[in-house]
Amino acid sequence: MWRANLSKVIDTLKPVQEKLGNNLWIAPSCSLLHSPQDLAVEEKLDPEIKNWMAFAAQKLVELGVVKQALAHGKDSVKDALAASDAAAADRATNKKIHNEAVQKRVAELPEGADQRKSPFAERIKAQQAWMNLPVLPTTTIGSFPQTAEIRAARAAFKKGELSAADYEAAMKKEIAYCVEVQEKLELDVPVHGEAERNDMVEYFGEQLAGYCFSQFGWVQSYGSRCVKPPIIFGDVSRPNPMTVFWSSYAQTLTKRPMKGMLTGTGYHVQMVVCAR
């Protein structure tokens, strides 16, 4: 969904064109099924970030610019190239993308920071001793249905028709119901049901710096299912805790260990949150 650096593309293709002539074909680098349709309809994106983007319709325009330049020279598309060069230069240095605090923290990570401090064999023993679970413990994936009541409360909250306090109370009511059901079923490791999450990806993206969201950027996920994923535009950081509040509340509703849910790539990454 990012603009091409048209000057670089043309410079790369010019010697190829000289060698192949009319046998040179140009096309998008991937199926446009997986690109949002049209940047022109986006009204809420940050103007600076929007200027770095090209959705499917804009990518086709870019192809036309490249074709024109190869056929008639760069001067024939000089305005388009000037705009492309300016966007590329801005994106290369803009502080919205390049977060010095994030880069400094990454640079100062000590050696082995990405490694566990103890082997799995030790960790599993400690976990088993603390959780005291049976040989075949029972749990569930984490997501309970997003009911009509949950969706109605979320829509009213986004429209400003429901206060933050009332929305929180509504989500807590749904979480309490989920925990109650699992208590009655005697599941060993309950989940809180994720009532507060609008989507397993969007929810986390909204709470991370370095992400933005389109209004109409729907793309094909699989089959007839389409999603509107968050867009990573720069260095990512986490300003505040994302799941602790809801998991901590859920833990107060049961003496069993409450499982906290983190989103993975298409799957749920599961971990136990010690919230007691």
Side-chain angles (χ1 to χ4, degrees):
M1 61 183 61
W2 303 109
R3 292 175 71 154
N5 187 323
L6 295 178
S7 293
K8 287 186 176 181
V9 172
I10 294 166
D11 289 343
T12 299
L13 290 178
K14 190 62 179 175
V16 180
Q17 181 203 32
E18 292 172 354
K19 181 178 181 179
L20 298 180
N22 291 333
N23 290 324
L24 173 64
W25 289 38
I26 58 174
S29 60
C30 67
S31 169
L32 296 183
L33 283 171
H34 303 297
S35 294
Q37 184 177 4
D38 189 358
L39 188 64
V41 300
E42 297 291 337
E43 299 175 347
K44 296 183 179 180
L45 281 171
D46 181 303
E48 281 187 288
I49 298 173
K50 183 177 179 179
N51 190 47
W52 306 330
M53 293 180 172
F55 289 1
Q58 288 71 43
K59 290 181 184 297
L60 295 178
V61 172
E62 288 182 330
L63 281 177
V65 172
V66 173
K67 178 182 178 181
Q68 177 75 6
L70 292 174
H72 303 288
K74 283 186 174 183
D75 284 347
S76 65
V77 291
K78 60 182 179 180
D79 290 342
L81 293 186
S84 174
D85 290 345
D90 181 40
R91 189 180 175 204
T93 59
N94 196 291
K95 289 188 176 181
K96 288 183 178 179
I97 287 182
H98 306 283
N99 187 321
E100 293 180 1
V102 173
Q103 294 178 3
K104 182 175 183 292
R105 185 173 181 185
V106 171
E108 293 177 349
L109 284 174
E111 185 178 351
D114 59 339
Q115 302 295 319
R116 297 278 192 175
K117 295 181 179 179
S118 59
F120 174 77
E122 292 181 15
R123 299 198 308 274
I124 191 63
K125 286 181 180 179
Q127 184 188 75
Q128 290 171 341
W130 177 74
M131 297 180 73
N132 193 31
L133 294 174
V135 175
L136 296 174
T138 54
T139 187
T140 184
I141 189 63
S143 304
F144 272 52
Q146 290 278 313
T147 64
E149 290 77 13
I150 292 174
R151 295 186 185 279
R154 183 171 295 117
F157 176 58
K158 286 187 174 182
K159 292 177 182 177
E161 299 170 357
L162 190 68
S163 69
D166 288 340
Y167 177 71
E168 179 183 315
M171 295 304 101
K172 283 185 173 180
K173 179 180 178 181
E174 296 291 340
I175 291 170
Y177 168 74
C178 289
V179 176
E180 179 184 2
V181 168
Q182 294 168 91
E183 287 278 297
K184 290 179 179 179
L185 294 172
E186 298 185 353
L187 295 186
D188 297 304
V189 183
V191 299
H192 80 288
E194 304 179 27
E196 79 287 357
R197 302 185 188 181
N198 47 10
D199 176 84
M200 69 176 184
V201 176
E202 185 176 1
Y203 175 78
F204 289 92
E206 287 175 338
Q207 300 182 72
L208 292 168
Y211 280 87
C212 66
F213 295 84
S214 65
Q215 291 170 268
F216 309 108
W218 298 97
V219 298
Q220 184 186 39
S221 176
Y222 58 86
S224 61
R225 174 170 171 77
C226 291
V227 296
K228 187 163 64 67
I231 301 167
I232 302 177
F233 66 84
D235 292 331
V236 176
S237 61
R238 176 172 53 84
N240 299 295
M242 299 188 292
T243 63
V244 173
F245 175 81
W246 298 106
S247 293
S248 297
Y249 168 70
Q251 185 66 84
T252 67
L253 304 175
T254 179
K255 293 182 179 180
R256 294 179 167 88
M258 176 61 61
K259 182 168 63 177
M261 308 307 302
L262 297 178
T263 298
T265 308
Y267 301 91
H268 282 96
V269 177
Q270 303 177 2
M271 77 172 183
V272 173
V273 177
C274 303
R276 295 182 184 178

